[in-house]
Amino acid sequence: MDNLLKNFKIEVPKGIFIKDPESSNLGKRIIKHSILLISDLGFEQFTFKKLGQAINSNESSIYRYFESKHHLLMYLNSWYWVWIEYQLVIETFALKNVEEKLKKCVQIITRTTKEDVNFEHINEIVLNKIIINESAKAYLTNDVDNENKEGLFTPFKRVVKRFSDIILEYNNTYKYPLSLANTVINGALNQYFFQEHFKTITNCNKKNTVTEFYTNLTLNTLKYDQ
């Protein structure tokens, strides 16, 4: 397992980028500083011109990696969900008790993000904030069906499917495993957003965590259906 983790490389669908940013120092700088800029400015105000200024590079050099800032956002989105899947695999691998595995899955998907030292050019804490605030903009577009056919949302869909499979391990008669899985995943992002911006419409806070809420919701839903 240790050797597997040392050699692990996050694979983002190739159709998202023109040139793999992981293949060069410039590409890694593009990713590193795009995360910081989008977090600071918001996706609407973020431009390749501003990114170029931040990394002391021509705007045209960024277009050699990404066709548009939309594709860059899709890249960050995909990277994040491959990273989450990687955690799901390594942290549930040895768990035999199905309830323990289900709880661990919910925890991984809903917990507060910590920085991962395995990926030096990516601040996962800041990236998580982008996923909470901006990730829906990667797929709420007129091109979503074509991009889906091209497999550009595969990492997110794999996480939903993996979570769904664990739900079925716990209760194999439950009719809505995919719907429950994507409800927990997207709902957790919304709860973190509400916790930050709309405190009066959520019970989630530092004392009553998002993870506790969705663990309770998931287990009660599945037990009630048994």
Side-chain angles (χ1 to χ4, degrees), residues 70 137-148 153:
H70 170 66
K137 297 167 188 174
Y139 59 84
L140 294 179
T141 69
N142 288 336
D143 292 329
V144 62
D145 291 331
N146 289 330
E147 290 170 346
N148 186 37
F153 302 105

Side-chain angles (χ1 to χ4, degrees), residues 20-223:
D20 185 357
E22 294 289 332
S23 67
S24 70
N25 288 330
L26 175 59
K28 290 179 180 179
R29 284 170 56 219
I30 287 171
I31 298 305
K32 178 179 180 178
H33 288 277
S34 68
I35 291 170
L36 299 177
L37 266 183
I38 292 172
S39 177
D40 184 42
L41 301 174
F43 184 64
E44 287 81 2
Q45 300 302 317
F46 168 81
T47 65
F48 280 177
K49 181 178 181 180
K50 293 174 183 176
L51 178 57
Q53 292 169 347
I55 63 175
N56 296 316
S57 182
N58 293 328
E59 184 179 352
S60 59
S61 66
I62 301 169
Y63 280 104
R64 289 200 287 271
Y65 289 84
F66 294 100
E67 179 182 325
S68 65
K69 72 175 189 176
H70 170 66
H71 283 80
L72 176 53
L73 181 62
M74 285 202 298
Y75 180 92
L76 298 179
N77 203 44
S78 291
W79 194 100
Y80 178 82
W81 292 115
V82 175
W83 180 64
I84 291 294
E85 183 183 30
Y86 147 83
Q87 293 172 68
L88 286 172
V89 171
I90 64 173
E91 294 189 39
T92 64
F93 176 76
L95 298 179
K96 304 302 181 185
N97 182 282
V98 290
E99 182 167 325
E100 186 180 351
K101 183 185 288 190
L102 179 62
K103 287 180 178 178
K104 174 59 72 174
C105 185
V106 174
Q107 180 190 29
I108 292 165
I109 287 167
T110 63
R111 66 191 174 190
T112 302
T113 300
K114 295 181 180 179
E115 195 163 0
D116 189 336
V117 296
N118 292 306
F119 307 99
E120 294 180 359
H121 62 296
I122 291 183
N123 185 321
E124 291 82 8
I125 297 173
V126 180
L127 177 57
N128 174 250
K129 292 179 181 178
I130 292 174
I131 299 302
I132 291 169
N133 294 326
E134 312 281 4
S135 65
K137 297 167 188 174
Y139 59 84
L140 294 179
T141 69
N142 288 336
D143 292 329
V144 62
D145 291 331
N146 289 330
E147 290 170 346
N148 186 37
K149 288 177 183 176
E150 293 171 16
L152 305 190
F153 302 105
T154 299
F156 175 70
K157 292 165 70 176
R158 281 204 313 261
V159 170
V160 173
K161 182 61 167 62
R162 188 175 292 276
F163 187 10
S164 171
D165 289 344
I166 293 172
I167 288 169
L168 286 176
E169 280 187 54
Y170 183 81
N171 180 350
N172 61 14
T173 64
Y174 186 63
K175 296 179 182 178
Y176 315 105
L178 290 168
S179 296
L180 180 59
N182 74 55
T183 295
V184 173
I185 293 167
N186 284 302
L189 298 178
N190 284 333
Q191 289 301 320
Y192 278 112
F193 185 87
F194 295 157
Q195 186 175 305
E196 179 71 21
H197 302 287
F198 299 136
K199 294 180 174 66
T200 58
I201 61 169
T202 179
N203 298 113
C204 294
N205 49 48
K206 290 182 180 179
K207 184 178 179 181
N208 302 309
T209 68
V210 174
T211 296
E212 289 171 345
F213 170 61
Y214 279 106
T215 300
N216 178 280
L217 178 68
T218 302
L219 288 176
N220 283 339
T221 298
L222 295 175
K223 286 177 180 177

